[in-house]
Amino acid sequence: MFKRLAVLVCGILVLAAVPQTISATDGEIKFVGIAESFHQLIGGSWWLVRVERVISGPQPCAQELRVVTWTSAAPPIEWGYVDPEIKPNDRVQVYGRYVTDGESGCFVTLEWSAAQSPSLYFIRVPLEVVAAQITISPAAPTTADEVTLTVAVTFSKEFSNECFAAAQLSNVKLEGNRFVVTAWEIWPGIACFLVYRPTRTGQRTYALGRLAAGTYTVELQDFWGIVQSYTFTVAQAGQVSLERALDENGNGRIDDPEIIRAINFWIRQEPVPGTGGQVITDAAIIQLLDLWIKGEPIR
């Protein structure tokens, strides 16, 4: 009898402590704070986090927020990622859904679905991007090419294998003429083989398909904002690319005299003959210099 009563009391306590229904949702929130304490009762668990800085989303109603990591009363849904390395007094990054409730005040939930957000919610120890490389293939695409984007990131933290490291890069998101990839907004549904090969580098290749003629920007973002950007131009099919037009000796590479010619065109902002009026932009001269320095073949 006493055990049954104890279980009933615990159930009542957790129902009072962990919100079971959402009265009003104020949208997604990202913030940095200090993880003060972890609570786990029958039917739910949460971290109590003291907010230090809101990166995006609404201003919380209180300085201390419950970050709900799981409840038994929720329908069959997915829950966001909870970093197992978090300890009390650690600084954490939180990405979730901010909710105001008439009885509970306000809280953040990691209750997640793909319909709500393309990236999984989380509470984690901060992870930094140490270095990054963004490449486009082919290097000088036209509207007839199938374009691919490769993003390679070196993190400050080591992962158990390459698969898990790659999973820290989100799916690519198209926003106007910008392709956005976020570092460590965890890629949902990742399945990895448990092979122990520790690494700090994660890499993903994205198929962008055939793109309309124009200038595009790739942005690599982390929790704080833009880490690195890369701009490329897609030429109309049928026109000769800048690289091909500048390759006067036809050896498939940009040689010393050809890069000097390219720099002159760039300085004067004159169209390169044979390209249908294309001028060498700042982004294009960087690509040409990269091809020249590395001696890579023109694709």
Side-chain angles (χ1 to χ4, degrees):
M1 178 67 181
F2 177 76
K3 289 183 178 180
R4 292 175 60 186
L5 181 60
V7 169
L8 178 61
V9 170
C10 287
I12 293 171
L13 287 173
V14 78
L15 286 172
V18 181
Q20 303 295 308
T21 58
I22 293 176
S23 299
T25 301
D26 292 72
E28 293 183 341
I29 187 171
K30 291 184 179 181
F31 70 90
V32 177
I34 301 298
E36 295 188 333
S37 56
F38 181 71
H39 302 264
Q40 189 169 19
L41 295 172
I42 298 173
S45 60
W46 69 95
W47 272 100
L48 185 64
V49 180
R50 185 173 73 252
V51 179
E52 286 192 329
R53 177 183 172 187
V54 175
I55 306 300
S56 64
Q59 192 64 33
C61 73
Q63 187 178 6
E64 290 184 335
L65 285 179
R66 283 165 297 158
V67 179
V68 179
T69 57
W70 174 78
T71 63
S72 61
I77 57 163
E78 294 186 58
W79 286 91
Y81 173 77
V82 180
D83 193 336
E85 296 182 6
I86 299 174
K87 302 182 298 297
N89 298 318
D90 279 349
R91 178 165 280 103
V92 292
Q93 295 173 339
V94 177
Y95 173 39
R97 188 158 293 276
Y98 177 79
V99 177
T100 55
D101 182 87
E103 297 178 358
S104 306
C106 62
F107 61 95
V108 174
T109 177
L110 301 189
E111 180 181 312
W112 180 87
S113 72
Q116 291 176 325
S117 175
S119 299
L120 199 64
Y121 295 151
F122 56 73
I123 177 170
R124 69 182 187 219
V125 174
L127 184 72
E128 296 181 0
V129 173
V130 177
Q133 184 176 18
I134 301 171
T135 55
I136 292 291
S137 181
T142 71
T143 53
D145 293 319
E146 295 287 338
V147 182
T148 59
L149 162 67
T150 300
V151 179
V153 174
T154 301
F155 295 102
S156 59
K157 174 183 176 180
E158 188 172 79
F159 297 92
S160 59
N161 60 46
E162 294 175 356
C163 179
F164 284 116
Q168 313 312 311
L169 298 173
S170 71
N171 292 326
V172 66
K173 306 159 194 172
L174 179 59
E175 300 176 0
N177 274 24
R178 295 186 305 136
F179 293 99
V180 179
V181 175
T182 307
W184 231 60
E185 281 191 10
I186 300 169
W187 178 19
I190 183 68
C192 292
F193 293 104
L194 297 177
V195 178
Y196 187 74
R197 185 181 175 182
T199 180
R200 295 179 185 273
T201 302
Q203 176 174 304
R204 285 190 68 186
T205 297
Y206 308 89
L208 305 183
R210 294 183 179 179
L211 302 176
T215 300
Y216 298 85
T217 300
V218 178
E219 288 184 358
L220 174 64
Q221 299 183 359
D222 67 359
F223 194 77
W224 300 93
I226 299 173
V227 177
Q228 189 170 319
S229 64
Y230 178 86
T231 301
F232 66 97
T233 301
V234 177
Q236 186 65 44
Q239 296 178 352
V240 177
S241 68
L242 290 170
E243 291 83 351
R244 296 289 182 191
L246 291 165
D247 181 24
E248 292 185 305
N249 60 12
N251 69 349
R253 285 177 169 78
I254 301 296
D255 298 321
D256 293 353
E258 293 161 351
I259 195 63
I260 293 172
R261 182 166 175 256
I263 291 171
N264 287 331
F265 279 121
W266 170 63
I267 292 171
R268 297 195 302 267
Q269 283 296 283
E270 293 181 358
V272 178
T275 63
Q278 292 184 71
V279 297
I280 300 177
T281 63
D282 292 348
I285 195 66
I286 292 173
Q287 294 178 13
L288 291 167
L289 285 167
D290 189 58
L291 286 172
W292 169 64
I293 291 169
K294 295 178 179 177
E296 294 180 349
I298 297 169
R299 298 178 183 179

